[in-house]
Amino acid sequence: MKRKYRNGSRTIVSLLIGLAFVIPFYITLVTSLDSKADVFRFPPHLLLDFRWNVYVRAWDMFRWPMYIANTILIAVITIAIALASSVLAAYALSFIKFRGRGFVFIVMLVVLMIPGEAHLIPNFVTLAKLNLLDTYWAQILPYGASVFGVFLLRQFFLSLSKDYQDAARIDGAGHLRFLWSVALPLCRPILFTIGLYIFIGSWNSLMWPLMVTQSHHVQPVEIALARFLQNNSVDWRRLSAAAVFTTLPVILVFVFLQKYIIRGISRGEGVRG
């Protein structure tokens, strides 16, 4: 009885949390499809009207394909670099014994606790000295290492049975072969989880691209959305339409990868430290 009550309470709490995330997006979708007269109506109109012409007008007003392509390019390269560096760092901290290994890990945890805003000025100065401002690399390199990814992967690698390593050694496999053939396939869900975190962070990034870029041809979609908001501050339907089609890629990625992400998070939580 107690167990049923506990499960029911968890389900209700989960539904409430889920609704808290879904309702703002649904209201934005409804607003984008409403007529002008219905946008400010009270009580609000909660049914979809399917007036898609406002999407066509909002899409035609900006070079959205260029900004979206820029964002995808930045996100994909950032994910590739961050995953590669995280895997190698986590592997070294888990399987290779060297002096100061514990100290290095503690330093990484300290870095994890420092707010991202504290890195803005040092990163800007470094990129300026490297003449990388106003380029794709200025938006990629500062996020090419993920301390959270290293932490999650290290915890998973430490949970692997030593039998895997012993079997690989008997087979004559070195560190790289063991990493590529054994460790990486086992931690694929965690890699998807880290990749999604980086993708969302890269897609929603606004302050850093505003600091380091000026040219439209390298700027991401969030800057385009902010500029669109300034130019159309009185047209709530167009603003909502632009917000919907710039948010949609993140939702689609999450929907397609949710199976791996949930598995990755559960593995990350279940492994020993």
Side-chain angles (χ1 to χ4, degrees):
M1 186 67 182
K2 278 186 179 177
R3 191 174 177 181
K4 275 188 179 178
Y5 177 76
R6 200 180 303 140
N7 288 339
S9 302
R10 284 179 183 172
T11 305
I12 291 170
V13 171
S14 301
L15 280 173
L16 289 175
I17 294 173
L19 285 174
F21 283 97
V22 170
I23 285 175
F25 182 76
Y26 182 75
I27 290 175
T28 307
L29 181 63
V30 170
T31 304
S32 69
L33 297 172
D34 268 343
S35 64
K36 280 186 180 177
D38 288 336
V39 169
F40 297 106
R41 192 173 72 175
F42 188 83
H45 183 217
L46 294 178
L47 298 178
L48 300 176
D49 279 343
F50 302 105
R51 292 186 177 89
W52 299 107
N53 55 336
V54 70
Y55 278 81
V56 176
R57 289 202 299 272
W59 183 265
D60 290 340
M61 290 177 71
F62 257 61
R63 297 174 65 185
W64 295 107
M66 180 191 74
Y67 290 110
I68 291 174
N70 287 343
T71 312
I72 292 174
L73 178 68
I74 293 165
V76 169
I77 298 177
T78 304
I79 290 170
I81 295 175
L83 285 183
S85 61
S86 299
V87 166
L88 292 174
Y91 184 88
L93 290 170
S94 307
F95 295 113
I96 300 175
K97 292 182 180 176
F98 57 91
R99 186 179 293 177
R101 187 173 67 165
F103 177 74
V104 171
F105 182 63
I106 290 172
V107 169
M108 292 183 72
L109 290 182
V110 172
V111 171
L112 187 62
M113 295 171 195
I114 297 175
E117 288 76 9
H119 303 150
L120 292 179
I121 300 302
N123 285 341
F124 183 87
V125 173
T126 304
L127 290 169
K129 287 185 178 178
L130 293 172
N131 292 322
L132 289 177
L133 293 180
D134 206 20
T135 64
Y136 290 122
W137 290 111
Q139 303 167 75
I140 293 170
L141 291 178
Y143 302 98
S146 169
V147 179
F148 171 72
V150 175
F151 174 77
L152 208 60
L153 285 166
R154 176 187 174 272
Q155 301 304 96
F156 176 75
F157 286 152
L158 288 176
S159 73
L160 285 179
S161 169
K162 279 199 170 182
D163 294 343
Y164 288 113
Q165 278 184 284
D166 295 338
R169 272 184 204 151
I170 292 170
D171 237 15
H175 284 297
L176 283 178
R177 189 176 161 197
F178 173 71
L179 173 64
W180 183 257
S181 304
V182 180
L184 279 184
L186 290 172
C187 68
R188 196 176 300 162
I190 296 179
L191 295 178
F192 277 117
T193 305
I194 298 168
L196 180 72
Y197 275 115
I198 297 170
F199 178 78
I200 292 174
S202 185
W203 192 276
N204 293 329
S205 181
L206 174 63
M207 185 187 295
W208 180 247
L210 270 176
M211 285 180 65
V212 297
T213 62
Q214 292 182 335
S215 309
H216 293 196
H217 66 273
V218 297
Q219 288 181 329
V221 72
E222 281 297 317
I223 290 184
L225 188 61
R227 197 171 292 131
F228 188 83
L229 189 148
Q230 284 180 337
N231 297 344
N232 299 272
S233 57
V234 293
D235 194 333
W236 285 75
R237 294 189 306 152
R238 284 184 195 172
L239 285 176
S240 301
V244 168
F245 63 65
T246 54
T247 308
L248 211 54
V250 180
I251 296 174
L252 290 176
V253 169
F254 179 79
V255 169
F256 283 118
L257 297 182
Q258 62 173 326
K259 179 177 66 176
Y260 299 100
I261 293 158
I262 293 169
R263 204 182 302 166
I265 290 172
S266 61
R267 283 192 182 186
E269 288 176 347
V271 296
R272 65 182 169 85

